[in-house]
Amino acid sequence: DVQMIQSPSSLSASLGDIVTMTCQASQGTSINLNWFQQKPGKAPKLLIYGASNLEDGVPSRFSGSRYGTDFTLTISSLEDEDMATYFCLQHSYLPLTFGAGTKLELK
Amino acid sequence: QVQLQQPGSVLVRPGASVKLSCKASGYTFTSSWMHWAKQRPGQGLEWIGEIHPNSGNTNYNEKFKGKATLTVDTSSSTAYVDLSSLTSEDSAVYYCARYGLLGLDYWGQGTTLTVSS
């Protein structure tokens, strides 16, 4: 199975900060990756597809990038509504596998 | 718009089975794979498996073989996951999600399954 190693597990930041989190795939030459935002008690919301493409309606302060098997989600200027847990998903190989999540909190 | 409707919560006794539902609307149900995932409190998501409503073809995570069975009812545009021989380890939120062109693009609100006597 492809493991998605996500870091950090938690992150404390201030409003206006630039925030980054990463997922590293344990194997695979062509990983298709989604990033999601999940707030407590809510369904995950798709933010990024194809590692770097912004889903319609998602604020432009969110961006994704890929370098080999390393994937990064960046929030360029943190807003209060961004406090949530973020996780990645690889959907190129079965079984699909998720990162363990990064919980983003306000400092 | 695409919607996946799931019941909010279910309580079942240990050793029993349960069938969780996911009613789809707003798109052609038979055209997209439907996925299921499990999330235990404070933990990450685990992929259970997928089913194509048109063919009934399924793929499962090895970990859930023997535990979960995926089915669909195309007449009502509803997907189901059947969970058997329930224990406390099965207590979790179960999500259905549509696999679109971009990945898992729409998710249900999740059903909280509590296994308790």
Side-chain angles (χ1 to χ4, degrees), chain B residues 47-64:
Chain B
W47 183 74
I48 295 172
E50 62 178 353
I51 183 167
H52 200 288
N54 192 44
S55 62
N57 287 345
T58 54
N59 292 295
Y60 291 93
N61 186 335
E62 283 292 326
K63 179 179 177 180
F64 290 93

Side-chain angles (χ1 to χ4, degrees), chain A residues 1 32-34 36 38 41-46 48-50 55 87 89 91-92 94-101, chain B residues 35-37 39 42-47 50 59-62 95 99-110:
Chain A
D1 298 359
N32 223 333
L33 191 106
N34 290 153
F36 295 90
Q38 187 177 27
K42 300 294 186 184
K45 175 188 173 184
L46 178 63
I48 301 283
Y49 63 91
E55 168 70 326
F87 61 90
L89 162 71
H91 57 95
S92 296
L94 295 181
L96 273 61
T97 45
F98 296 89
Chain B
H35 291 239
W36 289 86
Q39 187 172 40
Q43 297 190 18
L45 284 144
E46 292 182 279
W47 183 74
E50 62 178 353
N59 292 295
Y60 291 93
N61 186 335
E62 283 292 326
Y95 291 101
Y99 190 86
L101 295 175
L102 312 178
L104 293 182
D105 55 2
Y106 290 94
W107 294 62
Q109 289 297 308

Side-chain angles (χ1 to χ4, degrees), chain A residues 28-78:
Chain A
T29 55
S30 184
I31 296 286
N32 223 333
L33 191 106
N34 290 153
W35 284 100
F36 295 90
Q37 177 192 67
Q38 187 177 27
K39 296 185 176 179
K42 300 294 186 184
K45 175 188 173 184
L46 178 63
L47 299 176
I48 301 283
Y49 63 91
S52 59
N53 301 287
L54 205 61
E55 168 70 326
D56 286 348
V58 174
S60 59
R61 63 181 179 275
F62 289 90
S63 63
S65 63
R66 165 208 302 256
Y67 185 76
T69 56
D70 293 342
F71 301 84
T72 299
L73 175 69
T74 301
I75 308 173
S76 61
S77 180
L78 197 64

Side-chain angles (χ1 to χ4, degrees), chain A residues 77-92:
Chain A
S77 180
L78 197 64
E79 296 194 8
D80 191 54
E81 66 184 27
D82 301 333
M83 299 309 139
T85 297
Y86 295 83
F87 61 90
C88 61
L89 162 71
Q90 72 78 20
H91 57 95
S92 296

